[in-house]
Amino acid sequence: MAKKNRLFKKIVRIFFLSLTGLVVFSTFYFLWKKAQPVVTVYEIVTPKRDTIETKTVATGNVEPRYEVLIKPQISGIISRLMKEAGQMVRAGEIIAQIKVIPEMVQLNNAESRVNVAEINLRQIEEVFRRDEQLFNRQVISREEYEASKAACDKAKEEKNNALSALEIIRDGIAKNSRVESTTQIRSTISGMILDIPVKEGNSVIQSNNFNDGTTIASVADMNDMIFRGNVDETEIGRIREGMPIKLIIGAIENRSFDAILEYVSPKGVEKSGAIQFEIKAAVHIPEGDFIRAGYSANAEIVLKRADNVLTVPESTVEFQGDSAFVQLVTQETPEQVFERRFVKTGLSDGIKIEIVDGLTVDNKVRGAAIDPKNKPKN
C-alpha cells in the first residue's frame, strides 16, 4: 500500500513539473514571437488604360413637353363622357358632351327680348305694307319707301338676333350658327388622354377672363417627352445646353435612355436651404418603348471625359501640397521594396485617377495593405 502511494505521488509530481515547463516555454515563445518585427504585405497594382468620366446627378421626373388642359366654353353639367384616360384622341374628336343649365334671369331676359322683337316686327311690317301700296300708287317718294323697307329689314334682323341669343342661353348654340356646338367638348390636339378629372353629372364652369374654368381632360403627345429636374448651384456652372445625358428611370429596371440638355434656368430657387436651378432635357424614346408621364428619374450629366488614358486607383496616390506621388514597386520577392516616385495626375472620378506622366503600363505600384488574416498561404 505504501508503494502505491509513493508511485502515485511521483506521477503527480512529474505531471505538474511537465505542465509548468510547458507554460514557461509557451510564455517565452509568445514573447519572442511578439518581439519579432511585423512585415506588412501590400497589394500590387498595375496601371491600365481606361475611360474616366466626371458626372453630376440631377433628380426630377419625366413629363410630356406639351400637355393641354381641355376646358369648356360654356357652363353646365356633364351629360356624357365619350373617352377614358389612356385612350388616344385626334384633334377635333369629341371627349364629352355638356347639358346646358340656363340661368333663369338670363333666360327670362332673352325670352322677353324675343317677344319685344316680334311685337316691333309686326308693327313695322304693317307700316311697310302701307308704304309699299302708297309707293306703287306714286303717293310717296322712293326715298321714303326705301327707308320703310330698311326699317322692316332691321326689325327682322333684330328678331333673328333675339332668337339666336335665346337658343345660345337655352341650348348652348344657335341653330343657324356655322361653328361647332359649344356643348361638345373636343380635343384641341392629337395625343393620349392622361386624365379625365370629371364624371358624368358633374357641374362644370366655362373658361373666361375671370375664371380658368373646369378641366374636362388633359391631353399630351407621349412621343415628345422631356426630363425636368434640378441641379445644385455648385454644379450649374459646369453644364451647358447640348450636353448628353444618361437618364435612369426608377420604374424601369436595367434600362437607361439618352437625352440632350436643352434648357438651363437663368435663375435659381431656394429649396431646403440650397439654391437649385431647373434644367430640361429632350428624351429619346426608342421605337416600341412607352414612358408614362410623371416617372421619377435621375439624370447623369457627363461633365468631363477622358478616353483610353493611363489610370490607377486614386487610393494608391499620395498628395503633398501641389505634388502627387506613388510607391513604385522595385522588388516583389523575397521582400517587397518600394520607391517613391513623382507623378503628374489628370482627371479623377473619385475611384480612379488619370496619370499624365511618371508611369507606364509596365510599372507596378503599391496598393492597400493586405490583412494578415486574409494573406494567402504558400
Side-chain angles (χ1 to χ4, degrees), residues 112-126:
S112 177
R113 180 184 171 188
V114 171
N115 293 334
V116 171
E118 288 178 346
I119 294 171
N120 188 42
L121 177 60
R122 285 196 299 269
Q123 180 184 3
I124 294 177
E125 282 179 337
E126 288 293 332

Side-chain angles (χ1 to χ4, degrees), residues 38-222:
V38 178
V39 178
T40 304
V41 180
Y42 296 90
E43 293 180 355
I44 304 301
V45 178
T46 302
K48 63 179 181 179
R49 295 200 168 274
D50 203 347
T51 298
I52 297 180
E53 293 180 341
T54 58
K55 305 176 183 178
T56 185
V57 177
T59 59
N61 59 285
V62 180
E63 60 186 41
R65 184 186 299 274
Y66 303 109
E67 181 177 348
V68 177
L69 301 180
I70 309 299
K71 298 178 181 291
Q73 298 302 314
I74 193 169
S75 299
I77 294 176
I78 299 293
S79 61
R80 185 181 179 189
L81 290 174
M82 316 292 287
K83 298 290 183 179
E84 295 181 355
Q87 290 183 331
M88 302 299 296
V89 65
R90 296 187 301 273
E93 197 169 351
I94 299 174
I95 297 177
Q97 289 184 339
I98 293 179
K99 180 182 178 181
V100 178
I101 306 298
E103 185 180 349
M104 296 308 298
V105 174
Q106 293 181 348
L107 181 62
N108 183 66
N109 291 338
E111 290 176 344
S112 177
R113 180 184 171 188
V114 171
N115 293 334
V116 171
E118 288 178 346
I119 294 171
N120 188 42
L121 177 60
R122 285 196 299 269
Q123 180 184 3
I124 294 177
E125 282 179 337
E126 288 293 332
V127 173
F128 174 67
R129 280 194 292 269
R130 289 195 299 267
D131 290 343
E132 187 176 24
Q133 292 175 358
L134 293 174
F135 175 74
N136 291 333
R137 297 174 185 174
Q138 297 183 350
V139 175
I140 62 174
S141 65
R142 177 176 291 276
E143 183 179 358
E144 291 176 323
Y145 167 74
E146 289 178 350
S148 179
K149 183 180 179 182
C152 184
D153 292 340
K154 289 180 181 179
K156 290 180 180 178
E157 185 65 23
E158 177 62 27
K159 178 185 175 182
N160 292 333
N161 289 339
L163 286 172
S164 296
L166 175 62
E167 290 170 352
I168 290 173
I169 293 174
R170 185 183 58 201
D171 305 323
I173 189 171
K175 294 179 180 178
N176 60 352
S177 176
R178 296 180 181 179
V179 300
E180 296 175 342
S181 174
T182 54
T183 60
Q184 295 178 340
I185 310 303
R186 300 175 181 269
S187 176
T188 56
I189 64 170
S190 298
M192 177 179 287
I193 299 177
L194 301 183
D195 186 30
I196 298 182
V198 296
K199 298 180 180 180
E200 292 184 2
N202 285 161
S203 298
V204 294
I205 302 174
Q206 68 178 8
S207 176
N208 51 45
N209 294 335
F210 307 101
N211 197 306
D212 289 339
T214 306
T215 299
I216 302 296
S218 59
V219 182
D221 181 5
M222 299 300 287

Side-chain angles (χ1 to χ4, degrees), residues 249-256:
I249 299 176
I252 304 177
E253 297 182 356
N254 304 320
R255 286 290 304 276
S256 63

